[in-house]
Amino acid sequence: MRRPHLPARLPLDPWIPALLAAVALAALLPARGLAASVAEGAATGAVALLFFLYGARLSTREALDGLRHWRLHLTVLACTFVLFPVLGLAARGLVPTVLTPPLYSGLLFLCLVPSTIQSSIAFTSIARGNVPAAICAGSFSSLAGIVLTPLLAAGLLGGSGGGFSPGSLLKIVVQLLLPFLLGQALRPWVGGFLLRRKRALGYVDRGSILLVVYTAFGAGVAAGVWHQVSAARLGALMAVEAVLLAVMLLVSWYGAKRLGFERADRIAIQFAGSKKSLAAGLPMASVLFGAQASLAVLPLMLFHQMQLMVCAVLARRRARDAESAAGAELPAGHVVEVSPEAQHPAPQAR
């Protein structure tokens, strides 16, 4: 008798161990004094380089072509920058009984971060959704987030955002927006070179983020902010984030149905509209929160892994539903081919 097929293991983003190692190093050997100044300067340069590479690799032509599906993109943007922030503001009632003020600031910041690109595409592909739409939706969200995330943080976080101040907007412009625009301007000359070295530059991307994580968490250790967090508070934070993710998955799926989108588009909306980008959020948090960035990014790091695990299971379920529906429409004896991606998904997320 044939053994039943066991589901693939839940995905662990391969760089989560690297992030945890950076956090552990910051806890054991935080940079202090002159070393802290050097690390902060290096992190600032790394963030600028990161956003220059984002700009240089984003195809303006592909983004403009994707505008033809404007209703879908507006729906994803509404999920990311309207519904998420509304839910984040609603969670204010959990302070201080469930969440401490610093953890709540991090949770609200999580709700302001743009959507992912890679994992949205990967999960949409696995679930047999509209992959081109997912590509454009993730790209538009990341592009809009460079401007909208700092503006929303200015309006919603205000002075409670740790080190946030109106001057942080200038830092955002100098460290994030200007390098991004410079990358876009130089793309005709450097875009091909960067695309040919995409694999190597991936290490530059993640190395930059690891440096940001080390600097942010090291500053938090030196300032003693980690004494504010207990195991019970962390458990409560994870429970709140689980509810947040569940609400966004349900609303993005059934809301898209009410708006008249077909199944393939609903899949793209659900996976692009329910997730948040760790790669975009970490550099922004380091600029917006200063020494409090370690606590501010903790909710985002937890949510990042949670969304991968839940969406991996959900994408496989959507794929099986599509196969069952296709099989029901085929004549008896017809074999339905299952793609390797649906059997062995290996998404990597930002």
Side-chain angles (χ1 to χ4, degrees):
M1 180 177 178
R2 185 178 178 181
R3 297 178 59 186
H5 177 70
L6 296 177
R9 63 180 177 86
L10 294 176
L12 176 66
D13 191 338
W15 74 315
I16 288 293
L19 286 171
L20 295 177
V23 172
L25 181 61
L28 296 174
L29 297 171
R32 302 177 186 271
L34 179 60
S37 299
V38 172
E40 183 178 353
T44 299
V47 168
L49 174 62
L50 193 65
F51 277 79
F52 170 81
L53 294 176
Y54 287 166
R57 288 181 298 203
L58 177 62
S59 172
T60 306
R61 180 178 179 181
E62 290 179 0
L64 292 176
D65 289 343
L67 285 173
R68 290 175 296 182
H69 213 345
W70 61 270
R71 286 185 65 248
L72 184 147
H73 303 316
L74 286 180
T75 303
V76 172
L77 290 175
C79 289
T80 304
F81 296 113
V82 178
L83 183 55
F84 254 116
V86 167
L87 293 175
L89 290 173
R92 181 66 178 83
L94 301 176
V95 180
T97 55
V98 178
L99 300 176
T100 62
L103 287 180
Y104 170 71
S105 293
L107 179 69
L108 182 54
F109 174 73
L110 151 70
C111 294
L112 310 180
V113 171
S115 179
T116 63
I117 299 178
Q118 285 94 332
S119 64
S120 297
I121 297 169
F123 288 132
T124 300
S125 176
I126 293 167
R128 314 293 180 82
N130 188 338
V131 175
I135 295 172
C136 292
S139 300
F140 291 155
S141 179
S142 296
L143 181 60
I146 295 176
V147 176
L148 291 180
T149 297
L151 292 179
L152 288 171
L156 301 181
L157 286 168
S160 65
F164 182 80
S165 68
S168 299
L169 293 178
L170 179 60
K171 292 182 180 180
I172 285 287
V173 171
V174 173
Q175 295 183 29
L176 306 184
L177 185 58
L178 288 182
F180 178 86
L181 295 177
L182 180 61
Q184 278 282 285
L186 296 180
R187 190 179 187 279
W189 295 277
V190 303
F193 174 83
L194 296 178
L195 289 176
R196 290 193 298 271
R197 289 157 179 81
K198 184 176 180 180
R199 183 180 181 86
L201 289 173
Y203 294 107
V204 176
D205 286 356
R206 299 198 170 193
S208 300
I209 294 171
L210 290 176
L211 180 58
V212 169
V213 170
Y214 170 78
T215 304
F217 276 81
V221 171
V225 298
W226 282 102
H227 296 297
Q228 306 172 22
V229 184
S230 65
R233 293 290 190 180
L234 287 178
L237 173 63
M238 293 183 67
V240 171
E241 292 191 338
V243 173
L244 176 65
L245 179 60
V247 170
M248 288 305 304
L249 287 170
L250 290 172
V251 171
S252 59
W253 179 252
Y254 291 106
K257 182 178 181 180
R258 290 292 299 271
L259 291 174
F261 288 99
E262 60 184 26
R263 184 181 184 279
D265 290 342
R266 290 170 65 196
I267 290 173
I269 290 171
Q270 184 178 51
F271 288 123
S274 63
K275 292 199 292 303
K276 292 295 184 176
S277 172
L278 186 65
L282 286 176
M284 290 183 181
S286 69
V287 177
L288 293 172
F289 291 90
Q292 299 292 324
S294 56
L295 283 183
V297 301
L298 180 61
L300 180 58
M301 292 178 67
L302 294 175
F303 190 84
H304 170 81
Q305 186 58 34
M306 186 183 297
Q307 71 187 11
L308 284 182
M309 298 172 69
V310 173
C311 289
V313 174
L314 184 60
R316 289 194 291 268
R317 177 179 175 180
R318 298 275 184 245
R320 288 195 298 268
D321 291 344
E323 292 160 13
S324 299
E329 297 176 358
L330 293 173
H334 191 98
V335 178
V336 178
E337 182 179 355
V338 180
S339 67
E341 290 82 4
Q343 298 180 25
H344 305 288
Q348 293 187 3
R350 285 182 178 246

